[in-house]
Amino acid sequence: MSLPSKYLQMLSTVTSDGELCMELVEKDMPEPKPGQIIVRVEATPINPSDHGVMFGWSNMAAASSSGSGADTVLTAPVPEQGMRVMKARIDQALPVGNEGAGTVVAAGEGDYAQSLLGKVVAVMGGGMYGQYRAVDAMMALPLHEGHTAKDGASCFVNPLTALCFLETMRGEGHTAIVHTAAASNLGQMLVRICQADGVDLVNIVRKQEQEDLLRGMGAKYVVNSSKDSFMADLTDAIHETGATLGFDATGGGKLASDILSAMEAAAARTPGAYSIYGSVAHKQVYLYGGLDTSPTTLTRGYGMAWGVGGWLLPNFLAKAGQDVAVRLRTRVANELKTTFASHYTDEISLSEALQADVVAKYNAKTTGQKFLICPQKDL
């Protein structure tokens, strides 16, 4: 297959003038090195984890776009605090897009790289918001026959995150999980995984339709944070499941503290010797997202056996090792259209992803709404 000499790549830059600039830049088509492949990117999702590199601490409420097609440029002002936080990236043009999928159109020397020619693969290599991507062949996950790039576009971030929640649970000696923002694509995957693996899962949502959605999937424990009975319902669910591990996608506010409080209240229902230091079992909540950008507030009424920490997929996989990563990736590939199926509400081109009105929609991170960029669209 003859490749073009140039391709478009989306870049995000925070300038020293206090402005965010996102644009499509023409790049030279690379020659694949030994062990490398060139992937024609056909589908790449917009995940909440992509927003940090895309927008950083800019004021997206004041974003605007100019130009059209490949010349579309998105700009937004960056407040003084944002400039301080993003000091390390000022005037650096950063490629964006964590994961995606497409067809291998060229390969360098090496049996494995050559064996992938013509195959549809998924990749988590960064810089996926572009028409082509050169990556090491070992980073690619070959999809099964009949699976398309759209099927595999989201087969890393959400599936591996959900699977690694269970790996964390088992490794740290917990037996059940509490999960927030539970009606998200990731949350629905976690419901299916826990059902398949026989793990009790307490799902926290904030709307009745989200509660109905998860119950329709067969989720047994669903609690609604907008109800007056939330803390009582959460405590009941945690008491029934024995959950002592939580994963919080919101990050800010007091939800993590509420989960720990409910865990302690649930533990107090089990008869045992009283201690001024609270329950003996360690209660842990990991913050893995930032849907709530306000400060994390902890109201320490849960004894002394507790912890709140950050959790990041690449860090976990690095510690878990190659064998674990291969086992989990194999499961994702085998269950791509069932357990790990992703559904998209909108499919957009690279240029549309830079239009201010479209950005406002996907930057809202609305539950149930997921955008897919198709880099080959409207060329």
Side-chain angles (χ1 to χ4, degrees):
M1 177 180 179
S2 177
L3 299 182
S5 60
K6 305 278 187 180
Y7 71 98
L8 294 176
Q9 173 75 54
M10 186 184 294
L11 299 177
S12 173
T13 308
V14 174
T15 70
S16 52
D17 296 329
E19 182 178 71
L20 170 79
C21 176
M22 288 179 59
E23 59 189 335
L24 298 176
V25 176
E26 202 169 60
K27 296 278 190 178
D28 291 329
M29 181 66 68
E31 280 287 331
K33 299 174 182 177
Q36 278 193 337
I37 55 174
I38 304 293
V39 179
R40 182 181 186 266
V41 184
E42 291 150 5
T44 172
I46 301 178
N47 293 314
S49 56
D50 293 307
H51 293 199
V53 179
M54 294 173 79
F55 310 131
W57 286 67
S58 57
N59 178 11
M60 294 308 295
S64 61
S65 54
S66 61
S68 61
D71 297 320
T72 304
V73 177
L74 178 80
T75 56
V78 181
E80 188 176 333
Q81 179 190 8
M83 292 297 289
R84 289 197 299 269
V85 173
M86 297 189 291
K87 184 177 180 180
R89 64 169 286 186
I90 291 176
D91 290 330
Q92 295 185 60
L94 303 179
V96 290
N98 284 324
E99 64 177 333
T103 305
V104 178
V105 292
E109 295 177 7
D111 291 343
Y112 184 64
Q114 288 290 323
S115 74
L116 295 179
L117 268 173
K119 293 186 177 179
V120 178
V121 299
V123 175
M124 186 170 74
M128 295 303 294
Y129 294 173
Q131 294 171 320
Y132 292 85
R133 181 73 169 92
V135 297
D136 289 338
M138 295 304 296
M139 292 174 57
L141 175 64
L143 303 185
H144 291 338
E145 193 71 32
H147 290 176
T148 68
K150 291 179 183 178
D151 294 329
S154 295
C155 74
F156 281 102
V157 175
N158 284 348
L160 289 183
T161 296
L163 284 172
C164 288
F165 284 172
L166 270 70
E167 293 290 318
T168 301
M169 178 197 76
R170 296 180 181 114
E172 296 185 1
H174 304 277
T175 57
I177 293 173
V178 179
H179 185 228
T180 72
S184 65
N185 259 266
L186 188 155
Q188 293 177 49
M189 285 184 189
L190 188 59
V191 168
R192 294 192 288 266
I193 294 169
C194 288
Q195 288 172 338
D197 290 15
V199 174
D200 281 334
L201 174 67
V202 179
N203 301 276
I204 298 177
V205 298
R206 57 189 174 87
K207 294 180 180 179
Q208 184 61 50
E209 55 265 35
Q210 296 168 348
E211 184 177 344
D212 295 341
L213 170 66
L214 294 186
R215 291 197 187 281
M217 293 176 60
K220 184 176 180 181
Y221 303 100
V222 186
V223 293
N224 190 331
S225 62
S226 67
K227 291 183 177 178
D228 293 338
S229 60
F230 169 58
M231 284 304 293
D233 296 339
L234 180 59
T235 303
D236 287 344
I238 289 174
H239 180 251
E240 286 190 45
T241 61
T244 49
L245 176 64
F247 290 94
D248 179 22
T250 67
K254 64 186 188 72
L255 190 51
S257 191
D258 286 344
I259 293 169
L260 291 171
S261 295
M263 287 176 177
E264 182 67 13
R269 294 182 182 179
T270 302
Y274 170 76
S275 170
I276 61 172
Y277 301 114
S279 60
V280 175
H282 183 76
K283 304 168 291 292
Q284 178 71 41
V285 175
Y286 287 114
L287 312 180
Y288 78 96
L291 296 176
D292 183 341
T293 56
S294 67
T296 304
T297 304
L298 301 177
T299 306
R300 292 177 54 189
Y302 18 84
M304 297 301 290
W306 61 274
V308 174
W311 191 98
L312 191 65
L313 176 62
N315 293 1
F316 178 84
L317 288 173
K319 290 180 180 179
Q322 186 67 22
D323 289 347
V324 172
V326 170
R327 170 167 55 83
L328 299 182
R329 283 169 45 152
T330 300
R331 179 173 178 180
V332 173
N334 290 340
E335 302 174 34
L336 191 56
K337 287 201 172 185
T338 52
T339 308
F340 304 107
S342 288
H343 305 284
Y344 305 97
T345 54
D346 298 82
E347 295 183 10
I348 58 177
S349 66
L350 284 169
S351 59
E352 288 172 324
L354 297 177
Q355 294 173 5
D357 57 337
V358 178
V359 172
K361 291 178 182 178
Y362 66 73
N363 193 39
K365 306 182 187 78
T366 304
T367 299
Q369 189 172 49
K370 192 169 181 66
F371 282 69
L372 184 73
I373 296 178
C374 301
Q376 308 300 325
K377 181 182 178 184
D378 297 337
L379 293 181

